[in-house]
Amino acid sequence: MTGMREARIDLAAVTHNTRTLRDLAGTRELIAVVKADAYGHGAADVARAALAGGATRLGVADIREAIALRDAGIEAPVLAWLHDPDETFVDAVARDVQVGVSSLAQLHAVARAAESTRAVVHLKLETGLGRNGIASQDWADVFREAARLEDEGRLHVEGLFSHLSNTSDDDDRVQVRRFEVGVAAAEAAGLRPAVRHIAATAAAIALPEARLDAVRIGIGLYGLSPFADRPAADDPAAGIGLRPAMTLRARVAAVRRVPGGQGVSYGYAHRTAAESTLALVPLGYADGVPRQASGAGPVVIGGARFTVAGRIAMDQFVVDVGDHPVAVGDEVVLFGDPAAGHPSAAEWASAAGTINYEIVTRIGPRVPRVRAEGASPAGETGAAAERG
Ligand SMILES: *Cc1c(COP(=O)(O)O)cnc(C)c1O
């Protein structure tokens, strides 16, 4: 590697993971969820790689994220589902962004925005998660109004969706059943939503009855398990061959030989047990390396595994490597593919008391995203992928 820190992104892994999950779910469609800059992996590159692997649509939280995909030249259907209270949906409609609608007010705003073009919406039904979505007591009103606006040619209700709590299979089944009641009510009101979707990665893998017309895959695209808080033997994602797409690495910025008893980093939370070598790693909490993992986060240097020594600072942390021959410029891997001998994002998550989603998503803008060699979507050359 060149540069002192990087997140290496293996887009071929994203393509592979998309194909793997589409085959497993067996659904007609797969919505690749690329919100939050594709969980820190780079939204436009990941979107192209997922489309190459069989994703038929893209999903994001904010309309601005959807417009950024359009600005990058991506033309696939994009759905955005979390909106500013004052959102007018004018830009969304103008840029052909599909709108997840969670209230009658939003439905009317979308219809107002669709003066000259017809808007495409997916109605989001609240089925028990307690976040956004149309409340069941409002379903009949919203469906009736949506059918009227469809008749007027203002909008088209292409989809109905909801989101699961992943509390237990039984809790999720209750939500799927409520959703089916909502689908029936929508159809009774004259709507013909072609794309019904409720499963994210977890249910796409582990709850077949939730797969419906489409699955919305986020974490699985990135080769990480939605069940990583379970013991590995109980992880339904463990056997399906997903490949982690992000490798976070740096080069040792300094080494120092110190005597026993030397305090390390702020607060001297670590002291060397004997004469030892300290290696300085130029990644810190400003880069998304969680300070909560001080004294606990794993790293690999030269094939050997170590643990962060003492506090993680804003820009850097120290590894006490003992008598291992570590030199300035050596590669340090924080997490990547366990099959390559790297620690996993899940190990950092447990060291920090969080989930793997947060570990990759919070990797900050100071860390360059560098594409893995030979890993452009659909096996194109790098140059062709740049144009895409
Ligand atoms: C983030 C999100 C997803 C993706 O979830 P994963 O667990 O990462 O697959 C799907 N649907 C909605 C509504 C989301 O907010």
Side-chain angles (χ1 to χ4, degrees), residues 11 14-16 18-19 45-56 376-380:
L11 296 171
V14 172
T15 301
H16 164 86
T18 308
R19 194 172 288 127
D45 280 350
V46 165
R48 287 190 199 97
L51 291 165
T56 53
S376 47
E380 295 163 342

Side-chain angles (χ1 to χ4, degrees), residues 304-324:
R305 246 180 118 96
F306 303 97
T307 299
V308 172
R311 300 259 164 85
I312 292 169
M314 187 181 293
D315 314 301
Q316 51 199 299
F317 63 84
V318 173
V319 182
D320 179 350
V321 300
D323 293 328
H324 280 267

Side-chain angles (χ1 to χ4, degrees), residues 33-74:
V33 178
V34 296
K35 62 191 178 186
D37 201 25
Y39 296 33
H41 293 66
D45 280 350
V46 165
R48 287 190 199 97
L51 291 165
T56 53
R57 297 164 181 270
L58 303 168
V60 292
D62 299 19
I63 288 168
R64 284 170 64 179
E65 297 179 296
I67 289 174
L69 294 170
R70 290 283 179 260
D71 287 344
I74 292 166

Side-chain angles (χ1 to χ4, degrees), residues 33 35 39 81 124 131 163 200-201 216-220 357:
V33 178
K35 62 191 178 186
Y39 296 33
W81 51 69
K124 186 167 191 194
R131 301 199 321 199
H163 195 44
T201 306
R216 293 187 308 270
I217 304 295
I219 198 76
Y357 291 69

Side-chain angles (χ1 to χ4, degrees), residues 2 30 34 44 51 57 66 69 94 114 117 122 158 161 177 200 212 220 290-291 299 316 335 340 345 353 362 372 384:
T2 56
L30 184 147
V34 296
L51 291 165
R57 297 164 181 270
L69 294 170
T117 28
H122 289 220
E158 185 187 45
F161 73 117
R177 268 184 247 118
L212 309 181
R291 185 173 178 279
V299 300
Q316 51 199 299
F335 60 82
R362 290 179 71 130

Side-chain angles (χ1 to χ4, degrees), residues 109-194:
V110 174
R112 275 195 302 278
E115 281 290 338
S116 47
T117 28
R118 199 180 59 153
V120 176
V121 304
H122 289 220
L123 301 179
K124 186 167 191 194
L125 309 187
E126 159 62 1
T127 57
L129 182 58
R131 301 199 321 199
N132 65 6
I134 304 159
S136 56
Q137 63 269 25
D138 298 333
W139 289 351
D141 284 350
V142 175
F143 296 156
R144 195 180 319 109
E145 189 61 5
R148 190 183 68 75
L149 292 164
E150 264 196 348
D151 286 344
E152 284 185 2
R154 292 242 165 195
L155 52 79
H156 172 54
V157 179
E158 185 187 45
L160 284 187
F161 73 117
S162 190
H163 195 44
L164 299 170
S165 78
N166 301 335
T167 304
S168 68
D169 284 356
D170 283 345
D171 286 291
D172 287 349
R173 283 192 190 100
V174 169
Q175 282 194 258
V176 172
R177 268 184 247 118
R178 283 188 196 138
F179 183 68
E180 281 162 358
V181 170
V183 171
E187 287 173 348
L191 299 174
R192 294 288 172 269

